[in-house]
Amino acid sequence: MSNTGPASGYQSYDPPPPPPPGPDHSARNPAAGRRAALTICTIADVAAGLLGLWIVLYLLDANQSNPFVEFVHGMADWLSGWAQDIFTMDTEGLRVVLNYGLPAVIYLLIGHGIAARINRA
């Protein structure tokens, strides 16, 4: 087929060829990657936030029988279950800060690291 149209000097543009059958995995959807990275960051931030909130509530001597404090304590125990009693200090406040603060920092580092890796890809 010729690239010159009926009028001299104008080009006719042929439609692009149809895509090959099946899914095309060669090009990634950048919007989906950003959404996944944002989701991972959000989950890591919420986990670290709950752990940090429990540290603050404990240090401020919050009422342990309050339903909100019980919820935060339960979630913090669940999120930091793998790191419980890594540090055994004589000072109870320091023990809570270290045993709940370490998982919070690790969640932030891993979550934001994975998200950055996804955004780069």
Side-chain angles (χ1 to χ4, degrees):
M1 190 183 253
S2 172
N3 275 346
T4 57
S8 178
Y10 292 102
Q11 292 182 348
S12 65
Y13 295 99
D14 297 329
D24 180 21
H25 295 290
S26 62
R28 293 180 179 229
N29 184 356
R34 283 192 301 273
R35 281 192 305 267
L38 180 63
T39 302
I40 291 169
C41 276
T42 302
I43 291 170
D45 290 346
V46 167
L50 283 169
L51 290 165
L53 182 59
W54 168 243
I55 292 170
V56 170
L57 289 173
Y58 182 84
L59 292 176
L60 294 176
D61 201 26
N63 181 6
Q64 299 281 328
S65 62
N66 181 287
F68 176 72
V69 175
E70 286 179 357
F71 170 76
V72 172
H73 187 204
M75 291 301 296
D77 279 344
W78 183 76
L79 288 168
S80 65
W82 57 270
Q84 285 300 310
D85 296 328
I86 287 179
F87 301 101
T88 54
M89 305 291 193
D90 291 335
T91 308
E92 189 68 19
L94 182 59
R95 186 190 65 78
V96 168
V97 168
L98 292 175
N99 284 326
Y100 290 95
L102 177 67
V105 170
I106 290 175
Y107 285 136
L108 286 175
L109 290 175
I110 291 175
H112 285 262
I114 290 171
R117 180 82 175 179
I118 289 172
N119 276 332
R120 261 188 267 135

